[in-house]
Amino acid sequence: MSAQPPVLAVENLKKHFPIRRGVLRRIVGHVKAVDDVSFAIARGETLSLVGESGCGKTTTSRCILRAVTPTSGAIRFRSGEGRDVDVAALPRSELRPVRRQMQMIFQDPYSSLNPRMTIADIIGEPLLVNGIGNLAERRQRVAELLDVVQLPRAYLNRFPHAFSGGQRQRIGIARALALNPQLIVADEPVSALDVSVQAQIINLLLELQERLGLSYLFVAHDLSVVKHVSHRVAVMYVGRIVEVAPTATFFRNPRHPYTEALLSAVPVPDPRRRAQRIVLEGEVADPSNPPPGCAFHPRCRYADERCERVTPTLQPAAGGSLVACHRAAELNLVGVAAA
Amino acid sequence: MAEPILSVRGLETFFRPDEGIVRAVDGASFDLHPGQTLGIVGESGCGKSVTARSILRIVDRPGRVESGEILLRRADGQVVDIAKLDAKSALLRDIRGGEVGYVFQEPMSSLSAYHTIGNQLMEAIRLHRDVSKADARARAIELLRMVGIPRPEQRVDSYSFELSGGLRQRVMIALALAAEPRVLIADEPTTALDVTTQAQILDLIRRIQRERNLAVILITHDMGVIAEMADTVAVMYLGKVVETGPVDTIFHAPRHPYTQALLRSIPSVLATPLSRLATIAGSIPHPYARPPGCPFHPRCESFIAGTCDAGAPPVTGLAADHEVRCFLYDDAGTRRA
């Protein structure tokens, strides 16, 4: 990345949810949803966070927005004016100006829009809440935002039920853009959409990034979508990042056995490429009681006795990857490549 | 090829709510052979699930099978038309589960939370086979083992909510296979699952299909799953089967503009990072506002004014096993200029 300071730098982020039992609600354990996660996102960059359900990717994104308060760690956010703030340590009362600059796009375009508000009110609400402009100026801004997401201005006074899933997702994107944010956290923004509409929204997100210099944290499980939208990809497994790499390297030369298994599980839309897949046995480890050593070792076909004892840390590997695997240097893992 | 085990001809399933009529399935035809997988693919509202549910006559009201034939060749060689059977007949109940098993999309809402999975399996077994409770329980454990559930002797007494999504879907498959049907319909069996679990379930379906020479209908919106699993493919759009053919033809020589556009627009792990996707203009019309003529014409790049919006396109055979429903191809199957 460039010498410019990153928009977002997450350092040693942890979020442990207590498990309470009994009449006294005593804490009997912790779910380590996010366990020592660090990454940075540059201006204009998309970092995708991928992994299976329960791996902590959504909790990580919610910590960044302070929708949940992290247990420990720092979330350094560089605002548009060049000020650095630690979102994790900020008192609640000071969150609003920071949140203006980081917005969220949700997965389900059906439940994330208030059915009783018009499109104009939905998109204009962030402006209203933050006391920006008068009524006429807000109207003007909302109309511009509709242009940006390529919806006709005539739709301003309609209600969400009149729109298709793709159009609703455009409305959600317009709302997220209303306050000129630096960073957009998109949690599975296209997974609820039909294939033909999904492509339109992916293209829109790419276009907006180029035009507005947005940074995206893209949370997704669909690696095909991730390949299209990301500059870099981070894989999480049971609360930890096990690999971060530039997109092309990530897909061509995975360094972590879990990444290799994930890539091999993706169905390729070509019947001539029915490859022999690596089918992972068993299930994702329980984050309240993760296995000792590397949490992936019980499912890993390359694991040796060191993996059962010592938790690996992220180390640089060739091609700009960071990988948390004891055997990364000796393994020659298979990625996906065009025929 | 041998006789198909299931042959659907001109199936029409309509919903008639008070607001009007929704032609959910509007003339679907296809054949299914033992040991083969037919993939039915399409976007939401295309009628793929209703087609599958029509085969078992389990379409929710106010929907009903209006016309067409659903010919099932039974184990004894007799052919019955499921579309003509009385909805409450014993024969239809025999066919459901006994001849045709069904795997539903949502394993959580399709399994009972009040009964152990063992009891649900035993019920399905004893509905179709005259066996004692003890034998049924042994068979239930055997089924759980077959679908790869660890420690089946203990799991047989657990409830569905105690299981993960992947295990629940395995239980669904065990349930569908309890009475040893010869046809398995799987409606989006992996949509709610992670990719690694999806790979496990697809592997399981393939393995069981091989072992039992099962005929499988796989309903999905995921072209990747189709490419991986299907032998033949039916592409649906707004209730119409727009193209059918062998899987290789559908992916490498698709003829219908919708199939072509759909294949171009899917993101692929083989794509160049940050590349734009080809898109299909507009969105899927509302079912009450179905366009006249070919339902795809408002979004079609090859739209012929005065033709595509005037009448329904006929089905044209391009090869023995490749059919397309589009005005672009004449009777001989050549593309018009």
Side-chain angles (χ1 to χ4, degrees), chain A residues 52-53 194-196 198 200 203 206 210 224 227-229 231 267-272 274 277 279-280 282-283 337, chain B residues 43-44 164 194 196 198-200 203 206 224 227-228 230 248 252 266-267 269 271 273-277 280 282 299:
Chain A
E52 293 172 274
S53 41
D194 274 310
V195 188
S196 67
Q198 184 174 303
Q200 297 170 6
N203 287 353
L206 288 170
E210 273 172 21
S224 315
K227 179 110 188 227
H228 275 275
V229 300
H231 295 85
V268 178
D270 182 352
R272 293 180 191 170
R274 287 186 185 177
R277 276 184 275 117
V279 175
L280 279 184
E283 310 239 331
Chain B
E43 299 178 274
S44 54
S164 67
D194 283 312
T196 52
Q198 166 171 289
Q200 293 174 0
D203 261 22
R206 258 197 301 247
E228 197 103 350
D248 197 74
H252 290 284
I266 44 175
V269 280
L274 304 174
S275 57
R276 299 287 195 277
L277 283 156
I280 305 179
R299 305 177 73 189

Side-chain angles (χ1 to χ4, degrees), chain A residues 93-335:
Chain A
S93 55
E94 289 170 37
L95 277 174
R96 182 167 285 175
V98 182
R99 280 190 175 144
R100 282 170 57 166
Q101 308 215 16
M102 39 165 112
Q103 291 286 320
M104 180 138 193
I105 302 171
F106 297 91
Q107 171 173 9
D108 183 356
Y110 292 88
S111 60
S112 55
L113 302 179
N114 186 337
R116 304 175 68 156
M117 286 167 75
T118 63
I119 300 316
D121 289 342
I122 289 173
I123 300 175
E125 194 176 31
L127 303 167
L128 183 71
V129 169
N130 284 284
I132 294 167
N134 58 32
L135 184 66
E137 286 164 355
R138 286 200 298 268
R139 282 248 147 197
Q140 178 57 30
R141 173 81 180 129
V142 170
E144 287 166 15
L145 286 164
L146 279 183
D147 296 345
V148 169
V149 297
Q150 296 148 26
L151 283 176
R153 291 190 179 194
Y155 289 174
L156 271 178
N157 294 316
R158 297 193 191 175
F159 289 90
H161 70 84
F163 295 95
S164 68
Q167 289 172 322
R168 284 179 210 222
Q169 205 55 310
R170 288 177 194 268
I171 295 164
I173 293 171
R175 175 176 60 186
L177 294 175
L179 297 166
N180 292 319
Q182 300 281 307
L183 172 73
I184 288 192
V185 175
D187 192 349
E188 304 271 8
V190 296
S191 54
L193 304 176
D194 274 310
V195 188
S196 67
V197 179
Q198 184 174 303
Q200 297 170 6
I201 299 296
I202 290 173
N203 287 353
L204 177 64
L205 289 171
L206 288 170
E207 232 172 87
L208 291 174
Q209 178 165 56
E210 273 172 21
R211 263 173 60 192
L212 307 172
L214 295 168
S215 303
Y216 292 133
L217 176 64
F218 197 89
V219 179
H221 71 280
D222 185 337
L223 290 170
S224 315
V225 172
V226 164
K227 179 110 188 227
H228 275 275
V229 300
S230 332
H231 295 85
R232 285 186 303 142
V233 186
V235 185
M236 287 186 75
Y237 189 77
V238 199
R240 287 172 177 269
I241 290 182
V242 297
E243 178 166 1
V244 195
T247 307
T249 312
F250 177 87
F251 283 90
R252 203 181 323 112
N253 295 110
R255 295 286 172 176
H256 197 284
Y258 180 58
T259 311
E260 182 190 42
L262 275 184
L263 290 177
S264 113
V266 179
V268 178
D270 182 352
R272 293 180 191 170
R273 294 177 61 103
R274 287 186 185 177
Q276 202 52 46
R277 276 184 275 117
I278 302 167
V279 175
L280 279 184
E281 298 297 325
E283 310 239 331
V284 179
D286 178 359
S288 68
N289 184 22
C294 171
F296 186 60
H297 87 257
R299 303 173 79 189
C300 182
R301 51 203 233 146
Y302 310 105
D304 60 20
E305 60 80 40
R306 190 176 27 160
C307 306
E308 295 165 24
R309 288 183 292 110
V310 188
T311 308
T313 53
L314 278 178
Q315 300 294 334
S321 306
L322 288 173
V323 59
C325 174
H326 294 305
R327 302 195 57 195
E330 38 175 318
L331 295 177
N332 195 7
L333 305 179
V334 182

